[in-house]
Amino acid sequence: MAPRTKQPPAAQPSADGATAAVPVPHVRVAVIGSGFGGLGAGVRLRRAGITDFVILERAGSVGGTWRDNSYPGCACDVPSHLYSFSFAPNPEWPRSFSGQPDIRAYLERVTETFGLRPHLRFNAEVSELRWEEEHTRWRVTTSAGQWTADAVVSAAGPLADPQIPDLPGLDTFPGKVVHSARWDHDFDLTGKRVAVVGTGASAAQIIPAIQPQVGRLTVFQRTPAWVMPRRDREISGLEKWLHSKVPPTGAVRRGTLFALRELQVDAFVRRPGLLKLVQKVAEAHIARGVPDPALRAKLTPDYRIGCKRILLSNTYYPALAAANTEVVASGLRELRGSTLVAADGSEHEVDAIVFGTGFHVTDLPIAHRVFGVGGTSLAETWKDGMEALRGATVHGFPNLFFVIGPNTGLGNSSMILMIESHLNYLVDALTTLDAVGATAMQPTERAQRRWNLELQHRMERTVWTTGGCQSWYLDRSGKNTTLWPASTSAFRRATRRVDLAEYELIKRTAPVAAPAEEVVPA
């Protein structure tokens, strides 16, 4: 069934020049983002019989981070058969670790298969979410108009907004500047002197992809990463046929991948000492890929493996060891025209800069656009660090549900598992509201505080805290507000259903419909 709402028309001037009134459409649920989280929310809402919803997407197509990140070499570091929805298995994955084009194509198929097109509103970037206490609803203002909604699902994701360091002289750099998530495919790197700033997951894929093409490659590395071999191969035609014709075989493959990663969790969250053997494998990988002992020393981390994200690549080290590559073992300090000055004082002339410097993860930009009870912004609420109840809801922001909220990230498995757990929680919350005759819910301060105190207590033993590194997992105060310190099975159990003892329930005190004189801004 298609939703009853339509794209709101722009306000139109009447014959006398006045702006004609256009009612603001109301929906049961407004979903922000059309990546895995937003599309998954759409599927689960429809399956629950909730068809009165819109999916608001700031770009012109679905895909989220798998649309935005199209840089050379972009691929997933989670096995393909685990990186898909359980309700939409894909027997046609081409490789054991599939590339960006295949993952994006998968999301397009999910959109078509589950009838999500009528719910999508493209080029609708959310500029404000405001809780209207008098109407017990959210007002959603976007670049495509306004909606009101009983509930909002924020599926914008933590890997949505690129982070570029504020460097002196960057604004006057005469060459090309790109971020890994905003790649310019019209710019030809052939023969150019190119700097790559950062050595994280994106950079480790970009560097081998462009190294044979560029004239000179300069890599600015603040901290080296541990890199493990990538066990990637083409999926055979027989395997595809078997998974397509005998679906349980695909389920067994997915289950095996899942179980192997669940077995790894203990080493990350309770007994980091168990990672010593893994670190030996990584050290041998460096030795094989980097013959030069001086370069090998630059590329060998001084922290325990797992503290920062472990990278998977068979081509990264050979690219760094290539004759046209220079590794600068310090960060970038400033720019003087086309000269890049490193923190160690060395200078490097380049024609183009590629920033592989990550995203705004612990300081989500959308938090500045969300205003809850009393007009308090989510950014203000989170000024001392992000936190939510079960990674999904926040006190003071009724009926705002996060998909991949605070402390739900993973260091070793598929985020799709976490997304599906949050979707279970979302649907149970909405159906529970109907069952008890309430309009909205928000977690109690006590429940939220208790959940996060326990979570941070468990975090103290993890490799992310004890491993001796600084990572993007940590906020400015050093608190880990991004990762989940347990197994995905434990998270599934924690979000299986809503516990009403953790929530305050709110009933509607005013009609849903917007006043007739209300005008959608042109």
Side-chain angles (χ1 to χ4, degrees):
M1 181 188 298
R4 63 176 173 81
T5 59
K6 296 181 179 180
Q7 184 83 5
Q12 298 294 326
S14 60
D16 61 2
T19 302
V22 179
V24 174
H26 182 83
V27 292
R28 175 82 183 279
V29 183
V31 180
I32 303 172
S34 67
F36 269 99
L39 296 178
V43 173
R44 291 300 308 278
L45 288 171
R46 285 179 62 87
R47 286 188 161 187
I50 301 172
T51 58
D52 184 13
F53 68 90
V54 291
I55 302 175
L56 304 171
E57 170 54 57
R58 67 182 178 184
S61 61
V62 302
T65 193
W66 291 107
R67 175 200 59 236
D68 296 343
N69 287 268
S70 61
Y71 57 79
C74 184
C76 190
D77 57 6
V78 174
S80 301
H81 291 87
L82 194 57
Y83 204 77
S84 55
F85 291 118
S86 62
F87 52 77
N90 180 19
E92 296 296 325
W93 287 120
R95 303 193 64 83
S96 48
F97 290 90
S98 291
Q100 177 265 346
D102 301 303
I103 298 172
R104 185 177 180 187
Y106 169 77
L107 290 172
E108 291 282 358
R109 287 197 299 276
V110 167
T111 303
E112 293 295 339
T113 301
F114 292 93
L116 299 180
R117 293 284 176 202
H119 300 271
L120 283 159
R121 303 294 181 267
F122 293 123
N123 303 307
E125 182 170 10
V126 173
S127 57
E128 184 180 89
L129 287 173
R130 188 169 291 274
W131 177 249
E132 296 183 335
E133 296 178 61
E134 67 276 19
H135 297 295
T136 326
R137 68 187 182 191
W138 285 96
R139 177 170 295 273
V140 187
T141 303
T142 80
S143 54
Q146 287 190 342
W147 283 263
T148 57
D150 291 337
V152 170
V153 177
S154 178
L159 306 182
D161 294 281
Q163 181 168 260
I164 294 180
D166 184 15
L167 294 165
L170 180 59
D171 56 343
T172 58
F173 176 69
K176 182 70 176 179
V177 177
V178 297
H179 186 277
S180 58
R182 299 291 185 269
W183 197 265
D184 184 352
H185 291 274
D186 294 328
F187 183 71
D188 186 5
L189 293 174
T190 303
K192 300 285 197 308
R193 299 169 299 176
V194 179
V196 175
V197 182
T199 51
S202 297
Q205 294 180 343
I206 293 170
I207 288 167
I210 68 172
Q211 174 268 319
Q213 177 188 7
V214 304
R216 182 74 179 164
L217 183 62
T218 305
V219 178
F220 288 85
Q221 171 194 269
R222 283 194 308 178
T223 309
W226 285 109
V227 184
M228 294 286 286
R230 186 180 182 86
R231 309 299 184 190
D232 189 25
R233 66 173 178 83
E234 186 177 349
I235 303 295
S236 69
L238 176 60
E239 290 171 284
K240 294 178 186 177
W241 178 88
L242 194 61
H243 295 333
S244 178
K245 301 301 180 183
V246 189
T249 62
V252 169
R253 185 173 194 157
R254 179 185 175 92
T256 302
L257 292 168
F258 167 75
L260 289 172
R261 274 149 185 77
E262 290 294 272
L263 290 173
Q264 298 169 4
V265 170
D266 196 56
F268 283 87
V269 303
R270 280 187 289 272
R271 288 188 275 273
L274 296 176
L275 291 167
K276 289 180 180 178
L277 180 59
V278 179
Q279 188 162 315
K280 292 293 184 185
V281 175
E283 289 169 353
H285 191 48
I286 299 176
R288 284 192 301 269
V290 185
D292 176 27
L295 178 58
R296 195 160 60 240
K298 281 185 183 181
L299 300 176
T300 302
D302 61 0
Y303 56 85
R304 179 173 288 163
I305 194 168
C307 183
K308 291 167 72 78
R309 184 174 175 180
I310 300 173
L311 309 184
L312 303 179
S313 179
N314 300 327
T315 55
Y316 180 57
Y317 287 139
L320 293 179
N324 67 332
T325 302
E326 178 185 4
V327 177
V328 181
S330 70
L332 179 57
R333 188 178 70 198
E334 62 178 310
L335 293 84
R336 299 172 188 160
S338 60
T339 301
L340 275 58
V341 184
D344 63 6
S346 60
E347 299 184 357
H348 311 268
E349 289 287 323
V350 302
D351 305 307
I353 304 173
V354 176
F355 283 101
T357 45
F359 301 85
H360 290 277
V361 176
T362 59
D363 57 339
L364 295 178
I366 196 169
H368 295 275
R369 307 176 190 179
V370 181
F371 300 88
V373 174
T376 302
S377 74
L378 185 57
E380 174 64 20
T381 300
W382 281 351
K383 68 179 184 298
D384 296 323
M386 300 189 302
E387 67 172 42
L389 174 62
R390 303 180 188 271
T393 54
V394 181
H395 177 74
F397 299 84
N399 276 15
L400 175 63
F401 300 93
F402 282 90
V403 177
I404 314 183
N407 288 111
T408 59
L410 296 177
N412 74 310
S413 192
S414 173
M415 282 305 301
I416 314 306
L417 302 172
M418 303 296 278
I419 287 172
E420 290 200 39
S421 293
H422 261 163
L423 298 180
N424 291 341
Y425 197 72
L426 164 68
V427 169
D428 189 61
L430 295 177
T431 54
T432 297
L433 284 174
D434 286 344
V436 301
T439 305
M441 58 169 52
Q442 65 170 336
T444 64
E445 284 187 272
R446 176 184 170 137
Q448 183 173 312
R449 185 91 296 263
R450 191 162 146 197
W451 171 265
N452 283 278
L453 285 173
E454 172 62 25
L455 188 150
Q456 291 300 328
H457 175 68
R458 280 188 280 169
M459 196 70 74
E460 292 173 1
R461 290 192 294 174
T462 68
V463 69
W464 312 307
T465 301
T466 64
C469 74
Q470 289 291 321
S471 72
W472 59 264
Y473 300 148
L474 312 179
D475 64 15
R476 285 179 296 180
S477 66
K479 186 165 71 172
N480 191 325
T481 59
T482 58
L483 296 184
W484 168 244
S487 68
T488 59
S489 298
F491 191 73
R492 178 63 57 96
R493 291 191 297 271
T495 52
R496 191 179 302 280
R497 60 181 59 86
V498 168
D499 180 0
L500 287 180
E502 295 182 328
Y503 281 89
E504 301 168 2
L505 298 180
I506 304 168
K507 293 193 175 184
R508 175 165 282 126
T509 57
V512 175
E517 70 275 7
E518 193 164 13
V519 176
V520 178

